[in-house]
Amino acid sequence: SSLLKKLHKTTQARAFANGGGGGSKGDSFLLPGATVATLLMLGVLHGRRMYEDRKAEEARENGAELEFQPDVKSKFLRLLPLRSISRCWGLLTSVEIPVSLRPHVYGAWARAFHSNLEEAALPLDEYASLREFFVRTLKEGSRPIDPNPRCLVSPVDGTVLRFGELREAGAMIEQVKGFSYSVFSLLGANSFLPMIAKGDMHEESSESENTSREKNKKSWLRVSLASPKVWDPVSECPMNGLFYCVIYLNPGDYHRIHAPADWNVLVRRHFSGRLFPVNERATRTIRNLYVENERVVLEGLWKEGFMALAAIGATNIGSIELSIEPELQTNQARKKLLPSGPPEEQLYEPDGIGRMLKKGDEVAAFNMG
Amino acid sequence: STVVLVFQAPISLSQEKGDSSSEFKFSVQRGDRVRVGEALGRWYDQ
């Protein structure tokens, strides 16, 4: 405030020195109170945000597990038209950048978000817009696929947030300590998962093994009915557990999604949801974040049984483009303001062949807007 | 953006204890940086 008083005095003195110019010229230099108050408030909020983030960082370094803690900001986010903001961001990043500026713009992006420009498949000045650069492919051989037939590979570049085995009947995944969400809600009510999760794969005695095997058979019967030509994985494989892995992609990461194994995709579900940010702070403060956000779920079979992948969008990355279904459009303007209804489902090849993918094949890509 | 992978993988039931000792083992830790094509987990013959 002393700084502002000094600024105020100097502007007045300067106005006076220039022949006074009467009250009007002096007044026009006056910073109205509201602007000063707004600047001060933004400064205080920013300072508080930095303090809180530093506190969270220290807690994490001390190994403390951050807990679920809804705050005012997460409630405020619910009031914003995040989908429209996301589409505006997409329009902005689609603007063509002059060729001479491209290396500088993408270089600045790479420095800000730690992208590796060496891996980009094309020279930087061949990406016409930031949106085109964002969904860049990589040079051949940049991502060797682990050839071990008994391993599952990462479908994306990113940071492992959570992983584990789904043992409880409710098949819940922890979003952050103190809050979990249901896998059924994430994948959709029509998911083939219920039969498997209810199949209680872990029952001990042999007779229950047969009954659960029967149950499994029934569930896969439903799948095989949907896709008669798909092999029945249950009879060929030992008891199976249900596992999950959650991977977060930073804005600077390579944003294409690949098949984690040889995988036959049978069905796609598109949930036209909200577009909250999905950064670390959002996972700590927004309830059911992954279940509310716009997402595309691919479900199918691999040699060990069921496999599903949920690609979840965010405010800045609202689009999910499928290599196996290029016509799918996500983050479209919704006619009604009400939250989204049931997901839009597409059974691949109604006679049940599905879309066969080899381990490492490209499946989809995230994009801005 | 975020990707959630849900999949079945082999487990083996350890009869005497009656609880399932997963045969599938993750080869990552929370907070690890992973890249496309790197192993998330493997399973082994018992």
Side-chain angles (χ1 to χ4, degrees):
Chain A
S1 57
S2 60
L3 174 74
L4 291 162
K5 278 201 190 91
K6 235 182 259 145
L7 179 67
H8 188 92
K9 284 200 184 72
T10 47
T11 47
Q12 275 203 327
R14 199 176 299 133
F16 193 70
N18 299 340
S24 62
K25 203 163 170 212
D27 286 352
S28 66
F29 280 100
L30 259 188
L31 280 175
T35 310
V36 173
T38 309
L39 290 176
L40 276 179
M41 183 193 71
L42 289 176
V44 166
L45 284 175
H46 186 63
R48 191 168 70 108
R49 161 81 188 264
M50 285 173 69
Y51 169 71
E52 276 179 2
D53 286 355
R54 186 142 35 81
K55 223 175 47 174
E57 193 61 34
E58 280 160 11
R60 203 183 12 256
E61 272 151 22
N62 299 336
E65 168 84 55
L66 298 171
E67 304 231 352
F68 183 68
Q69 205 173 2
D71 61 5
V72 174
K73 187 177 171 226
S74 58
K75 293 185 176 55
F76 174 66
L77 276 178
R78 287 183 183 281
L79 306 175
L80 292 181
L82 292 173
R83 291 167 63 84
S84 309
I85 293 170
S86 177
R87 284 195 293 277
C88 291
W89 172 243
L91 285 175
L92 187 66
T93 53
S94 305
V95 171
E96 181 152 351
I97 298 172
V99 177
S100 56
L101 283 182
R102 291 174 187 174
H104 306 291
V105 172
Y106 306 147
W109 176 275
R111 273 191 300 281
F113 295 112
H114 315 296
S115 305
N116 180 345
L117 294 178
E118 306 307 316
E119 294 177 327
L122 304 175
L124 293 185
D125 54 14
E126 291 195 19
Y127 295 105
S129 66
L130 183 59
R131 194 167 188 273
E132 229 179 82
F133 167 73
F134 183 82
V135 75
R136 65 194 174 282
T137 54
L138 302 183
K139 282 184 181 120
E140 197 59 39
S142 301
R143 294 290 180 275
I145 305 299
D146 188 317
N148 180 342
R150 292 174 167 273
C151 91
L152 197 75
V153 299
S154 176
V156 291
D157 281 18
T159 307
V160 175
L161 292 186
R162 281 199 161 24
F163 64 91
E165 188 175 355
L166 292 167
R167 290 173 184 250
E168 300 77 36
M172 302 294 279
I173 296 182
E174 198 178 46
Q175 177 177 309
V176 72
K177 189 175 177 186
F179 185 83
S180 298
Y181 57 92
S182 145
V183 180
F184 303 153
S185 313
L186 180 77
L187 301 181
N190 290 355
S191 167
F192 298 128
L193 179 70
M195 281 69 77
I196 300 161
K198 284 185 200 133
D200 294 332
M201 252 74 61
H202 322 308
E203 282 177 350
E204 296 72 37
S205 58
S206 55
E207 65 275 3
S208 62
E209 205 171 299
N210 299 334
T211 46
S212 66
R213 208 175 262 281
E214 275 316 304
K215 270 190 228 167
N216 265 335
K217 262 204 181 317
K218 279 199 209 83
S219 63
W220 291 114
L221 190 64
R222 183 179 153 206
V223 178
S224 52
L225 281 180
S227 47
K229 296 181 182 57
V230 170
W231 73 97
D232 173 359
V234 178
S235 53
E236 292 167 11
C237 63
M239 284 306 291
N240 275 358
L242 210 52
F243 296 85
Y244 69 93
C245 186
V246 182
I247 303 175
Y248 169 71
L249 292 83
N250 287 303
D253 281 329
Y254 166 61
H255 265 74
R256 286 177 181 260
I257 305 172
H258 295 253
D262 292 353
W263 183 27
N264 190 34
V265 184
L266 299 172
V267 64
R268 176 269 296 156
R269 252 171 247 119
H270 169 218
F271 297 75
S272 147
R274 309 180 84 129
L275 281 170
F276 291 118
V278 292
N279 53 35
E280 188 263 334
R281 180 190 193 82
T283 53
R284 265 191 297 127
T285 58
I286 298 176
R287 193 178 298 277
N288 271 327
L289 178 60
Y290 301 139
V291 172
E292 289 215 39
N293 262 23
E294 176 115 11
R295 63 191 181 281
V296 171
V297 171
L298 297 175
E299 241 181 46
L301 295 168
W302 71 309
K303 67 180 165 109
E304 298 305 334
F306 173 85
M307 176 179 280
L309 183 145
I312 303 164
T315 314
N316 56 342
I317 303 167
S319 289
I320 299 153
E321 299 153 1
L322 292 184
S323 325
I324 55 176
E325 189 189 345
E327 57 277 14
L328 175 70
Q329 296 281 314
T330 63
N331 191 9
Q332 297 299 295
R334 274 202 303 241
K335 288 133 191 98
K336 50 189 183 341
L337 285 178
L338 296 174
S340 60
E344 185 244 323
E345 190 165 287
Q346 169 71 35
L347 193 62
Y348 285 139
E349 320 304 348
D351 55 351
I353 302 167
R355 300 287 167 89
M356 198 61 218
L357 297 165
K358 300 298 290 169
K359 187 197 268 190
D361 282 357
E362 186 180 316
V363 185
F366 286 105
N367 208 339
M368 294 201 257
Chain B
S1 31
T2 303
V3 162
V4 181
L5 196 55
V6 180
F7 56 95
Q8 274 191 296
I11 60 170
S12 64
L13 292 175
S14 45
Q15 298 307 331
E16 58 281 359
K17 283 194 265 118
D19 59 353
S20 69
S21 64
S22 302
E23 193 174 1
F24 174 83
K25 291 268 181 289
F26 279 98
S27 48
V28 291
Q29 291 304 321
R30 266 169 58 177
D32 280 3
R33 287 284 301 160
V34 289
R35 302 197 333 168
V36 170
E38 289 176 354
L40 279 180
R42 294 181 172 82
W43 58 98
Y44 307 90
D45 283 331
Q46 281 296 314

